[in-house]
Amino acid sequence: MSKKFGIYLLIFGLCLMLPGCLLLSQTADLCQYVLPAGDLAETYPQAEKAAELVELAASLTISARKQGLSLSGERAEIGVTLYAVDAAYPAVCHETLKQGRFISPGDVEQQRRVLVIDETAAYALFSGGDALGKTLHLAGADWEIVGIVADAPRFGEADESTAYVPITAALALEMDTLEIRVLGAKQAILAETALRHRCAGGSFHDLAREKYAAAMP
C-alpha cells in the first residue's frame, strides 16, 4: 500500500512540475532590468552603454513602456500600453506578425513616426480591422500604422491593447519605465551586475523563474 502511495505521489509531483518546465524551456535565460524612464533622451543613451557590457554574450533589447494611454480611431477610443522599442526587439521578444511589418532598423535610425498595433486594437479602432496605412494621433503628432501583431497576454501587465513605436521617435514622450531585456544570458548574475553598474536604481527580474512560479498551483 505504501509503495503504491509513493508512486502516486511521484506521478502527482511530475504533473505539477510539467507546466513550469515547459515555460522554462520557452523562456530560458530570459531576464529583464527595469528602471524609471525619467527623461528618455538621457536614460536611453545610458541604457545603451550598459548594454555594451552584456550584449557580446547575449541578445539584448532596450524598450520604454507607458501604460494607460488612449488611442482614437474611426470606431472607438481604447486604452493601450505603448512600447517604444529598438530594432532588436522582435528578435528577443518574438511577436507574431499578422499583417504588414514590425519596427525596422531604418525606422529607428530615421526616427520615423510609425506604429504597430495588435489585432484587438485594429478591430476596435477601424472597421473590419483595416488599419494598415491609417494614421493615429499620439502625443501631438500623427503616426502611420505599418503593422499588426497577434494579441498576446503579458505576464504581470495591464489588460489592455498594445502598440509599438521606434524608441528614437519617442524620446520626447513621457514614459513610465525603461526596460533592458536579455535573452541568452547564461550567467544572469553577471548581466545583473553589469546593468546595475551602469544604470543604478533598477530592479532585476528573472522572467523564466517568475513565469515558472506563476504556473505552479
Side-chain angles (χ1 to χ4, degrees), residues 67-195:
Q67 292 183 293
L69 285 176
S70 295
L71 287 180
S72 297
E74 296 172 350
R75 301 180 58 194
E77 180 177 303
I78 64 170
V80 299
T81 296
L82 180 69
Y83 283 86
V85 304
D86 63 11
Y89 190 89
V92 175
C93 298
H94 306 296
E95 302 294 343
T96 302
L97 190 65
K98 305 298 287 189
Q99 297 181 48
R101 64 176 179 81
F102 203 75
I103 303 300
S104 72
D107 295 331
V108 177
E109 291 171 6
Q110 300 298 319
Q111 303 180 23
R112 296 174 185 145
R113 290 198 180 99
V114 294
L115 188 73
V116 175
I117 58 178
D118 64 23
E119 286 184 294
T120 294
Y123 279 95
L125 295 171
F126 300 97
S127 178
D130 183 21
L132 285 181
K134 303 291 181 61
T135 58
L136 289 173
H137 198 67
L138 174 67
D142 289 331
W143 300 70
E144 180 187 358
I145 300 171
V146 296
I148 299 173
V149 294
D151 297 330
R154 294 177 176 275
F155 178 69
E157 295 188 5
D159 184 19
E160 57 187 9
S161 289
T162 307
Y164 306 86
V165 298
I167 192 167
T168 52
L171 296 181
L173 301 183
E174 184 178 335
M175 307 296 283
D176 295 328
T177 57
L178 184 71
E179 302 171 353
I180 304 172
R181 187 170 291 199
V182 183
L183 177 65
K186 298 297 182 182
Q187 301 293 333
I189 188 64
L190 296 179
E192 179 179 4
T193 301
L195 294 173

